[in-house]
Amino acid sequence: MKKYDAYKDSEVKWIGEIPEHWEITPLKFCFKVLSGATPKSTELSYWEDGNINWITPADFKTEDRFISDGAKKITKEGFMSCSTTLIPSGSIIFSKRAPIGSVVINSNEVCTNQGCLSCIPKDDISSLFFYYIMSVSQKYFDMLGTGTTFNEISANVFKNVHLPVPPLSEQQAIASYLDAKTEKMDQMIAKTEKKIEYLGELKQSLITRAVTRGLNSNVPLKDSGVKWIGNVPKHWNIMRSRFLCSLKTGDKDTVNREENGTYPFYVRSPKIERINSYTFDGEAVLMAGDGVGAGKVFHYVNEKFDYHQRVYNFHNFKHVTVKYFFYYIRENFKYKIEEGGAKNTVDSVRKSMIQDFLVPIPPLSEQQQIATYLDIKCSKIDYIIATPKKKIAYLQELKQSLITNVVTGKIKVS
């Protein structure tokens, strides 16, 4: 890898030395930085049938460099009613709150909500170069955030962040180089993700068939009476979950987590936190009750643990083994959510939805056989999946390292 002829101290710890002819400059001298706004609640109807793209942090996608429109549009009247500005294409849209530091470049004229800062570049600034340097600066931006309810970086703090600024011709050369290099890495990552997706679908198919058809393909079948269950073995029953187990929620919030806590702490996301208390000791199935993981995040647990106030705890089972119930509900509760319409997501799962959830019930011995079979099969698939997951992690780390070294001048690209 080539190096520049001479370097100087940037006086920014995470950046280190930069090429001697580069500048280290506050963002306010590189961009015109504007805050966004949201129409008043009485004007939300202006979102319907609008023609002005309205961007929020929720519209950002991790791997997207460019964004053309958002989930909502507003009319000209709606736009005029709030103190936001039309942002010209080719600007950087920066998320100032969770997740702080996510960045995209708008390919169309847009306006934004108050969760975004829009960076309109000056004449000697390449938005694509700054997209790359901001994309590897997220931890730094996050450290500059403040707030009690959620972490947020203010426009004033953001404007005074110092970043390296090469001459425009070098900015453009660096952006072109990184476009070419990262595109190849992204293609490799996408190909590997497809392999993981295929294996995940295979695993899902195995589970679904086992918990609705059993392991004997020659057994006589009957109509379950439930569209999404279909036919089940004749000797199985169908029962509502209210007759199968007890149900309760936790009494903790996410803020109660402790980094090196003694016990697992189950919140509403797939990530398992830690805590120094436990309110349950035994075998249970846990399900997120609201948030983005509502009805989608499940855990099988058999130990001392604590859990969030909006996490449901299925316990005290009868007529059904815990592991069989876990496999069944994890793959099939989505159909309960979809009942009554095409919507496949919910903001929260009501207790009545859970209690009315229908479950095929084989004899207990057969349930145990199915659970053992799925434990073995799923473990094998998970083991196979682990290798491509490691490959993706390596490629993502390599990509981040390459971008960081190039945009801070540690590697010369031309």
Side-chain angles (χ1 to χ4, degrees), residues 264-273 280 282-289 293 295-303 305-308 310-315 317 322-323 325-327 329-331:
F265 178 36
Y266 294 89
V267 293
R268 293 167 295 172
S269 72
K271 182 182 178 183
I272 303 170
E273 304 286 355
F280 194 91
E283 197 174 18
V285 173
L286 304 178
M287 179 182 76
K296 297 178 181 177
V297 174
F298 292 89
H299 299 279
Y300 166 80
V301 194
N302 191 8
E303 61 181 333
F305 64 88
D306 220 329
Y307 55 113
H308 192 277
R310 289 298 293 135
V311 168
Y312 286 105
N313 174 353
F314 301 81
H315 61 285
F317 286 86
V322 186
K323 212 46 168 325
F325 181 84
F326 165 71
Y327 278 123
I329 194 170
R330 187 178 71 175
E331 298 303 327

Side-chain angles (χ1 to χ4, degrees), residues 114-130:
Q114 66 271 33
C116 300
L117 294 172
S118 299
C119 308
I120 303 171
K122 299 193 175 178
D123 290 342
D124 56 349
I125 294 300
S126 161
S127 288
L128 196 48
F129 170 81
F130 273 88

Side-chain angles (χ1 to χ4, degrees), residues 112-184:
T112 75
N113 81 335
Q114 66 271 33
C116 300
L117 294 172
S118 299
C119 308
I120 303 171
K122 299 193 175 178
D123 290 342
D124 56 349
I125 294 300
S126 161
S127 288
L128 196 48
F129 170 81
F130 273 88
Y131 161 82
Y132 279 117
I133 194 166
M134 287 184 187
S135 72
V136 293
S137 308
Q138 287 188 353
K139 287 183 180 178
Y140 180 65
F141 285 121
D142 193 58
M143 286 192 305
L144 299 176
T146 56
T148 51
T149 306
F150 50 78
N151 209 29
E152 180 172 328
I153 186 170
S154 70
N156 190 52
V157 169
F158 175 80
K159 288 177 186 179
N160 286 287
V161 168
H162 286 62
L163 291 177
V165 184
L168 179 59
S169 59
E170 277 187 71
Q171 293 177 42
Q172 293 167 335
I174 287 170
S176 296
Y177 174 85
L178 289 174
D179 276 353
K181 291 292 184 181
T182 59
E183 184 181 5
K184 290 179 181 178

Side-chain angles (χ1 to χ4, degrees), residues 24 39 95 100 133 138 147 203 214 223 231 344 349 361 385:
I24 190 84
S95 172
I100 290 179
I133 194 166
Q138 287 188 353
K203 178 179 170 181
D223 185 1
N231 292 328
N344 59 10
V349 176
I361 304 296
I385 287 174

Side-chain angles (χ1 to χ4, degrees), residues 322-348:
V322 186
K323 212 46 168 325
Y324 171 84
F325 181 84
F326 165 71
Y327 278 123
Y328 177 79
I329 194 170
R330 187 178 71 175
E331 298 303 327
N332 292 282
F333 194 77
K334 60 188 176 186
Y335 299 115
K336 184 65 181 177
I337 291 174
E338 292 169 4
E339 274 184 356
K343 187 177 179 184
N344 59 10
T345 59
V346 292
D347 298 323
S348 63

Side-chain angles (χ1 to χ4, degrees), residues 176-205:
S176 296
Y177 174 85
L178 289 174
D179 276 353
K181 291 292 184 181
T182 59
E183 184 181 5
K184 290 179 181 178
M185 292 182 188
D186 289 340
Q187 287 172 350
M188 292 171 69
I189 290 170
K191 185 177 179 180
T192 309
E193 285 174 338
K194 281 188 177 179
K195 182 177 181 181
I196 292 173
E197 184 181 355
Y198 165 75
L199 290 167
E201 288 172 354
L202 174 62
K203 178 179 170 181
Q204 184 179 9
S205 175

